Each structure stands twice: as C-alpha cells, then as structure tokens.
Amino acid sequence: MRTAAVVPAAGRGERLGPGGPKALRLLAGRPLLVHAVQTLGQVVDVVVVAAPPDPGAVDDVTALLAPEVGTAQLVVVAGGATRQESVRRALAALPADVASVLVHDAARPLAPAALARSVLAALEAGAHAVIPALPVTDTVKRVDADEVVVETVDRSVLRAVQTPQGFRRVVLEQAHAAPGADALEATDDAGLVERLGLPVQVVPGSEEAFKVTRPLDLVLAEAVHAARAA
Ligand code: C5P
C-alpha cells in the first residue's frame, strides 16, 4: 500500500496582505507551495494538491509542480471555499491503493522532511492519527467579549499544533464524512478525528514548520531559507 500527502493550497491569504493566493506567494523566488511539495515528494508516493479555485489554476498548478515532485505521483484538484472542503476534495481524488495520508498546509513551506517521516513512523507503529506539536511559550489568557481577562490558562498542558498531520486513510475519510463535520469549519483535520472519539497521538514538532500567515512570517521564512542554503 502507498502513502500520500494531501496539500490544501486554496487559501486566499488575506492576512498576508495583497498579492494573490497565499500558496503561490514567493519565498526565495519560488512559490510556498513548491517548497512544501518538493519536501513531501521525497517522503510519500502520491501528492494531491487542492489548488486555488480560480479559472485555469488546476492546469497552472499541475505545470508548476510536475517538475518538483521527484518520483511521486502528482494529482491536482480544485480547492473549496474552506480548508476543510479543500481537504475533502483532495481526499476524494486519492488513488485506491493509498493507506496512510499526511495532510500538510502549503503555508508551512519549510517543514522538514524528517518531520513528515516521524509522523509516518508513528502511524506505522500503530497510531490512528498523529500530529506534530510544540509546547506553548507565551502565557495564555482567556478573555470575555469585552477583552477583560477571565483566567490564565495552565500552559504546561497546551500544545501549538502543526502539520503534516498523519492519519490512517479510513480514519480521515470517516472523520470528514461524519454527521455534522460540514458545519464545523475545523482548522485542522485532527479536530475532526477527535470528534470520533479516537486517540490522536502527539509527536515533537519542528520550529521550522511554522505557518506563513502574516507578513512577518515571510520575513522569518526568508531568513530560515537563507540560513539553510548557507
Ligand atoms: O488560512 P490558513 O493559513 O489557516 O490556511 C491553512 C492552509 O489551508 C493553507 O495552506 C491554505 O492554502 C489552505 N486553505 C485551502 N482552502 C481554503 C482555505 C485555506 O486549501 N479555502
């Protein structure tokens, strides 16, 4: 059975400022999506990308990524209005012989191959669902509607969650098809698996797997990329 990576890449990236779909914004002169797919192509057998839902985007993204996936098979589908819908569309395009699936945000272009491999290893060791995560470093407070602090949360039991997240294919498909999943707009896939009552295993994340969301994140990404190349 083969392994696959599903890459939701259809976000508009409005928090990053003007400049088109986030996955196609440039890091070291190449789209974020290219960085992410190059890495995943070294780890899995199939890469399925949910492209921005613009006219011609599926063909454009296919042409962009075909030289970047190495020996992996590339499939590109049109993404949806939400991340969850984009993942669902990519899942529907998975080849039949895929048993394990990574879901990885195009917006985390510098997540190392070793991180993807450690998530797959935890799946092979028997986990149903695996997420990389880091301890929370900021103090976290809960606030009310008026921005008044309600409480300080114990951060020692909190984790900041990243991708790639890994799943047995049947588990991920079941989670996305579960009653009520549509209405949830989950920000990650493990959240849908939690609703099934299945355990989600945490493995150590990577500082380099940070998500490019705001302009400062791109500055950091350029610096990390340059340091790796030096
Ligand atoms: O917006 P956010 O940074 O949380 O998006 C995480 C990932 O989900 C990004 O890679 C983005 O391209 C993807 N996404 C998507 N379809 C959407 C919205 C976001 O594939 N409709």
PDB file of all heavy atoms in Angstrom, residues 9-34:
ATOM      1  N   ALA A   9      -4.107  24.087  -0.600  1.00  0.00           N
ATOM      2  CA  ALA A   9      -3.347  25.250  -1.072  1.00  0.00           C
ATOM      3  C   ALA A   9      -4.272  26.278  -1.697  1.00  0.00           C
ATOM      4  O   ALA A   9      -3.865  27.053  -2.570  1.00  0.00           O
ATOM      5  CB  ALA A   9      -2.284  24.801  -2.078  1.00  0.00           C
ATOM      6  N   ALA A  10      -5.544  26.275  -1.265  1.00  0.00           N
ATOM      7  CA  ALA A  10      -6.541  27.110  -1.931  1.00  0.00           C
ATOM      8  C   ALA A  10      -6.887  28.379  -1.155  1.00  0.00           C
ATOM      9  O   ALA A  10      -7.809  29.098  -1.525  1.00  0.00           O
ATOM     10  CB  ALA A  10      -7.814  26.293  -2.170  1.00  0.00           C
ATOM     11  N   GLY A  11      -6.128  28.674  -0.088  1.00  0.00           N
ATOM     12  CA  GLY A  11      -6.463  29.848   0.724  1.00  0.00           C
ATOM     13  C   GLY A  11      -6.124  31.147   0.024  1.00  0.00           C
ATOM     14  O   GLY A  11      -5.193  31.211  -0.790  1.00  0.00           O
ATOM     15  N   ARG A  12      -6.882  32.187   0.351  1.00  0.00           N
ATOM     16  CA  ARG A  12      -6.647  33.492  -0.289  1.00  0.00           C
ATOM     17  C   ARG A  12      -5.484  34.240   0.367  1.00  0.00           C
ATOM     18  O   ARG A  12      -4.888  35.112  -0.258  1.00  0.00           O
ATOM     19  CB  ARG A  12      -7.898  34.384  -0.209  1.00  0.00           C
ATOM     20  CG  ARG A  12      -9.160  33.736  -0.659  1.00  0.00           C
ATOM     21  CD  ARG A  12      -9.508  33.827  -2.138  1.00  0.00           C
ATOM     22  NE  ARG A  12      -8.473  34.193  -3.066  1.00  0.00           N
ATOM     23  CZ  ARG A  12      -8.346  33.678  -4.286  1.00  0.00           C
ATOM     24  NH1 ARG A  12      -9.164  32.749  -4.713  1.00  0.00           N
ATOM     25  NH2 ARG A  12      -7.405  34.076  -5.096  1.00  0.00           N
ATOM     26  N   GLY A  13      -5.190  33.924   1.612  1.00  0.00           N
ATOM     27  CA  GLY A  13      -4.052  34.577   2.268  1.00  0.00           C
ATOM     28  C   GLY A  13      -4.275  36.033   2.573  1.00  0.00           C
ATOM     29  O   GLY A  13      -3.348  36.843   2.472  1.00  0.00           O
ATOM     30  N   GLU A  14      -5.501  36.379   2.964  1.00  0.00           N
ATOM     31  CA  GLU A  14      -5.794  37.804   3.177  1.00  0.00           C
ATOM     32  C   GLU A  14      -4.976  38.421   4.314  1.00  0.00           C
ATOM     33  O   GLU A  14      -4.625  39.597   4.250  1.00  0.00           O
ATOM     34  CB  GLU A  14      -7.301  37.994   3.415  1.00  0.00           C
ATOM     35  CG  GLU A  14      -8.049  38.081   2.096  1.00  0.00           C
ATOM     36  CD  GLU A  14      -9.466  37.559   2.161  1.00  0.00           C
ATOM     37  OE1 GLU A  14      -9.979  37.397   3.284  1.00  0.00           O
ATOM     38  OE2 GLU A  14     -10.042  37.316   1.079  1.00  0.00           O
ATOM     39  N   ARG A  15      -4.631  37.624   5.334  1.00  0.00           N
ATOM     40  CA  ARG A  15      -3.851  38.175   6.456  1.00  0.00           C
ATOM     41  C   ARG A  15      -2.412  38.480   6.056  1.00  0.00           C
ATOM     42  O   ARG A  15      -1.682  39.147   6.769  1.00  0.00           O
ATOM     43  CB  ARG A  15      -3.873  37.196   7.649  1.00  0.00           C
ATOM     44  CG  ARG A  15      -5.215  37.127   8.340  1.00  0.00           C
ATOM     45  CD  ARG A  15      -5.279  35.977   9.319  1.00  0.00           C
ATOM     46  NE  ARG A  15      -5.267  34.691   8.635  1.00  0.00           N
ATOM     47  CZ  ARG A  15      -5.318  33.521   9.243  1.00  0.00           C
ATOM     48  NH1 ARG A  15      -5.360  33.450  10.561  1.00  0.00           N
ATOM     49  NH2 ARG A  15      -5.314  32.398   8.553  1.00  0.00           N
ATOM     50  N   LEU A  16      -2.009  37.990   4.881  1.00  0.00           N
ATOM     51  CA  LEU A  16      -0.652  38.254   4.396  1.00  0.00           C
ATOM     52  C   LEU A  16      -0.595  39.555   3.601  1.00  0.00           C
ATOM     53  O   LEU A  16       0.475  39.996   3.193  1.00  0.00           O
ATOM     54  CB  LEU A  16      -0.221  37.072   3.508  1.00  0.00           C
ATOM     55  CG  LEU A  16       1.249  36.789   3.281  1.00  0.00           C
ATOM     56  CD1 LEU A  16       2.020  36.734   4.593  1.00  0.00           C
ATOM     57  CD2 LEU A  16       1.395  35.475   2.521  1.00  0.00           C
ATOM     58  N   GLY A  17      -1.761  40.187   3.377  1.00  0.00           N
ATOM     59  CA  GLY A  17      -1.798  41.415   2.578  1.00  0.00           C
ATOM     60  C   GLY A  17      -2.047  41.087   1.111  1.00  0.00           C
ATOM     61  O   GLY A  17      -2.145  39.914   0.743  1.00  0.00           O
ATOM     62  N   PRO A  18      -2.154  42.128   0.253  1.00  0.00           N
ATOM     63  CA  PRO A  18      -2.480  41.894  -1.156  1.00  0.00           C
ATOM     64  C   PRO A  18      -1.369  41.113  -1.868  1.00  0.00           C
ATOM     65  O   PRO A  18      -0.212  41.197  -1.479  1.00  0.00           O
ATOM     66  CB  PRO A  18      -2.607  43.315  -1.736  1.00  0.00           C
ATOM     67  CG  PRO A  18      -2.009  44.237  -0.734  1.00  0.00           C
ATOM     68  CD  PRO A  18      -1.986  43.545   0.585  1.00  0.00           C
ATOM     69  N   GLY A  19      -1.750  40.352  -2.922  1.00  0.00           N
ATOM     70  CA  GLY A  19      -0.706  39.634  -3.674  1.00  0.00           C
ATOM     71  C   GLY A  19      -1.104  38.254  -4.142  1.00  0.00           C
ATOM     72  O   GLY A  19      -0.236  37.461  -4.474  1.00  0.00           O
ATOM     73  N   GLY A  20      -2.415  37.942  -4.210  1.00  0.00           N
ATOM     74  CA  GLY A  20      -2.834  36.656  -4.781  1.00  0.00           C
ATOM     75  C   GLY A  20      -2.857  35.539  -3.772  1.00  0.00           C
ATOM     76  O   GLY A  20      -2.554  35.748  -2.597  1.00  0.00           O
ATOM     77  N   PRO A  21      -3.215  34.308  -4.220  1.00  0.00           N
ATOM     78  CA  PRO A  21      -3.334  33.164  -3.310  1.00  0.00           C
ATOM     79  C   PRO A  21      -2.036  32.938  -2.529  1.00  0.00           C
ATOM     80  O   PRO A  21      -0.949  32.993  -3.104  1.00  0.00           O
ATOM     81  CB  PRO A  21      -3.606  31.987  -4.254  1.00  0.00           C
ATOM     82  CG  PRO A  21      -4.098  32.587  -5.512  1.00  0.00           C
ATOM     83  CD  PRO A  21      -3.491  33.954  -5.618  1.00  0.00           C
ATOM     84  N   LYS A  22      -2.196  32.666  -1.209  1.00  0.00           N
ATOM     85  CA  LYS A  22      -1.008  32.561  -0.349  1.00  0.00           C
ATOM     86  C   LYS A  22      -0.023  31.483  -0.823  1.00  0.00           C
ATOM     87  O   LYS A  22       1.191  31.701  -0.799  1.00  0.00           O
ATOM     88  CB  LYS A  22      -1.451  32.287   1.091  1.00  0.00           C
ATOM     89  CG  LYS A  22      -0.285  32.109   2.047  1.00  0.00           C
ATOM     90  CD  LYS A  22      -0.681  32.307   3.484  1.00  0.00           C
ATOM     91  CE  LYS A  22      -1.570  31.225   4.014  1.00  0.00           C
ATOM     92  NZ  LYS A  22      -1.828  31.386   5.458  1.00  0.00           N
ATOM     93  N   ALA A  23      -0.560  30.338  -1.254  1.00  0.00           N
ATOM     94  CA  ALA A  23       0.329  29.227  -1.618  1.00  0.00           C
ATOM     95  C   ALA A  23       1.238  29.580  -2.790  1.00  0.00           C
ATOM     96  O   ALA A  23       2.267  28.938  -2.998  1.00  0.00           O
ATOM     97  CB  ALA A  23      -0.504  27.989  -1.955  1.00  0.00           C
ATOM     98  N   LEU A  24       0.836  30.612  -3.560  1.00  0.00           N
ATOM     99  CA  LEU A  24       1.640  30.988  -4.732  1.00  0.00           C
ATOM    100  C   LEU A  24       2.525  32.202  -4.463  1.00  0.00           C
ATOM    101  O   LEU A  24       3.244  32.667  -5.355  1.00  0.00           O
ATOM    102  CB  LEU A  24       0.721  31.224  -5.937  1.00  0.00           C
ATOM    103  CG  LEU A  24      -0.124  29.993  -6.328  1.00  0.00           C
ATOM    104  CD1 LEU A  24      -1.034  30.301  -7.507  1.00  0.00           C
ATOM    105  CD2 LEU A  24       0.781  28.802  -6.656  1.00  0.00           C
ATOM    106  N   ARG A  25       2.476  32.722  -3.235  1.00  0.00           N
ATOM    107  CA  ARG A  25       3.397  33.821  -2.876  1.00  0.00           C
ATOM    108  C   ARG A  25       4.825  33.286  -2.832  1.00  0.00           C
ATOM    109  O   ARG A  25       5.053  32.114  -2.553  1.00  0.00           O
ATOM    110  CB  ARG A  25       2.999  34.403  -1.515  1.00  0.00           C
ATOM    111  CG  ARG A  25       1.559  34.904  -1.505  1.00  0.00           C
ATOM    112  CD  ARG A  25       1.407  36.199  -2.260  1.00  0.00           C
ATOM    113  NE  ARG A  25       1.883  37.278  -1.443  1.00  0.00           N
ATOM    114  CZ  ARG A  25       1.104  38.011  -0.645  1.00  0.00           C
ATOM    115  NH1 ARG A  25      -0.193  37.797  -0.618  1.00  0.00           N
ATOM    116  NH2 ARG A  25       1.606  38.957   0.086  1.00  0.00           N
ATOM    117  N   LEU A  26       5.777  34.159  -3.093  1.00  0.00           N
ATOM    118  CA  LEU A  26       7.150  33.692  -3.278  1.00  0.00           C
ATOM    119  C   LEU A  26       7.970  33.676  -1.994  1.00  0.00           C
ATOM    120  O   LEU A  26       7.886  34.594  -1.171  1.00  0.00           O
ATOM    121  CB  LEU A  26       7.857  34.563  -4.321  1.00  0.00           C
ATOM    122  CG  LEU A  26       7.235  34.587  -5.714  1.00  0.00           C
ATOM    123  CD1 LEU A  26       8.094  35.433  -6.664  1.00  0.00           C
ATOM    124  CD2 LEU A  26       7.044  33.180  -6.280  1.00  0.00           C
ATOM    125  N   LEU A  27       8.772  32.635  -1.856  1.00  0.00           N
ATOM    126  CA  LEU A  27       9.787  32.509  -0.808  1.00  0.00           C
ATOM    127  C   LEU A  27      11.075  32.129  -1.537  1.00  0.00           C
ATOM    128  O   LEU A  27      11.108  31.105  -2.245  1.00  0.00           O
ATOM    129  CB  LEU A  27       9.370  31.416   0.178  1.00  0.00           C
ATOM    130  CG  LEU A  27      10.465  30.826   1.078  1.00  0.00           C
ATOM    131  CD1 LEU A  27      11.129  31.896   1.928  1.00  0.00           C
ATOM    132  CD2 LEU A  27       9.887  29.719   1.948  1.00  0.00           C
ATOM    133  N   ALA A  28      12.107  32.940  -1.411  1.00  0.00           N
ATOM    134  CA  ALA A  28      13.362  32.725  -2.144  1.00  0.00           C
ATOM    135  C   ALA A  28      13.081  32.540  -3.645  1.00  0.00           C
ATOM    136  O   ALA A  28      13.676  31.678  -4.299  1.00  0.00           O
ATOM    137  CB  ALA A  28      14.131  31.540  -1.573  1.00  0.00           C
ATOM    138  N   GLY A  29      12.114  33.320  -4.158  1.00  0.00           N
ATOM    139  CA  GLY A  29      11.843  33.332  -5.596  1.00  0.00           C
ATOM    140  C   GLY A  29      10.957  32.216  -6.100  1.00  0.00           C
ATOM    141  O   GLY A  29      10.663  32.142  -7.295  1.00  0.00           O
ATOM    142  N   ARG A  30      10.497  31.323  -5.210  1.00  0.00           N
ATOM    143  CA  ARG A  30       9.645  30.207  -5.639  1.00  0.00           C
ATOM    144  C   ARG A  30       8.393  30.156  -4.767  1.00  0.00           C
ATOM    145  O   ARG A  30       8.452  30.470  -3.572  1.00  0.00           O
ATOM    146  CB  ARG A  30      10.396  28.881  -5.522  1.00  0.00           C
ATOM    147  CG  ARG A  30      11.850  28.993  -5.983  1.00  0.00           C
ATOM    148  CD  ARG A  30      12.469  27.638  -6.166  1.00  0.00           C
ATOM    149  NE  ARG A  30      11.928  26.990  -7.340  1.00  0.00           N
ATOM    150  CZ  ARG A  30      12.066  25.692  -7.606  1.00  0.00           C
ATOM    151  NH1 ARG A  30      12.692  24.915  -6.760  1.00  0.00           N
ATOM    152  NH2 ARG A  30      11.557  25.182  -8.704  1.00  0.00           N
ATOM    153  N   PRO A  31       7.245  29.745  -5.348  1.00  0.00           N
ATOM    154  CA  PRO A  31       6.008  29.720  -4.560  1.00  0.00           C
ATOM    155  C   PRO A  31       6.126  28.856  -3.296  1.00  0.00           C
ATOM    156  O   PRO A  31       6.799  27.809  -3.308  1.00  0.00           O
ATOM    157  CB  PRO A  31       4.986  29.132  -5.533  1.00  0.00           C
ATOM    158  CG  PRO A  31       5.524  29.444  -6.884  1.00  0.00           C
ATOM    159  CD  PRO A  31       7.019  29.365  -6.754  1.00  0.00           C
ATOM    160  N   LEU A  32       5.455  29.281  -2.224  1.00  0.00           N
ATOM    161  CA  LEU A  32       5.434  28.497  -0.975  1.00  0.00           C
ATOM    162  C   LEU A  32       5.074  27.040  -1.275  1.00  0.00           C
ATOM    163  O   LEU A  32       5.670  26.109  -0.724  1.00  0.00           O
ATOM    164  CB  LEU A  32       4.394  29.078  -0.004  1.00  0.00           C
ATOM    165  CG  LEU A  32       4.567  30.525   0.466  1.00  0.00           C
ATOM    166  CD1 LEU A  32       3.453  30.879   1.444  1.00  0.00           C
ATOM    167  CD2 LEU A  32       5.929  30.739   1.107  1.00  0.00           C
ATOM    168  N   LEU A  33       4.082  26.864  -2.147  1.00  0.00           N
ATOM    169  CA  LEU A  33       3.594  25.518  -2.484  1.00  0.00           C
ATOM    170  C   LEU A  33       4.707  24.643  -3.069  1.00  0.00           C
ATOM    171  O   LEU A  33       4.768  23.442  -2.782  1.00  0.00           O
ATOM    172  CB  LEU A  33       2.431  25.657  -3.484  1.00  0.00           C
ATOM    173  CG  LEU A  33       1.812  24.383  -4.024  1.00  0.00           C
ATOM    174  CD1 LEU A  33       1.248  23.528  -2.901  1.00  0.00           C
ATOM    175  CD2 LEU A  33       0.707  24.731  -5.042  1.00  0.00           C
ATOM    176  N   VAL A  34       5.577  25.233  -3.872  1.00  0.00           N
ATOM    177  CA  VAL A  34       6.675  24.455  -4.471  1.00  0.00           C
ATOM    178  C   VAL A  34       7.608  23.939  -3.379  1.00  0.00           C
ATOM    179  O   VAL A  34       8.003  22.767  -3.387  1.00  0.00           O
ATOM    180  CB  VAL A  34       7.438  25.304  -5.511  1.00  0.00           C
ATOM    181  CG1 VAL A  34       8.759  24.628  -5.898  1.00  0.00           C
ATOM    182  CG2 VAL A  34       6.581  25.533  -6.740  1.00  0.00           C
TER     183      VAL A  34
END
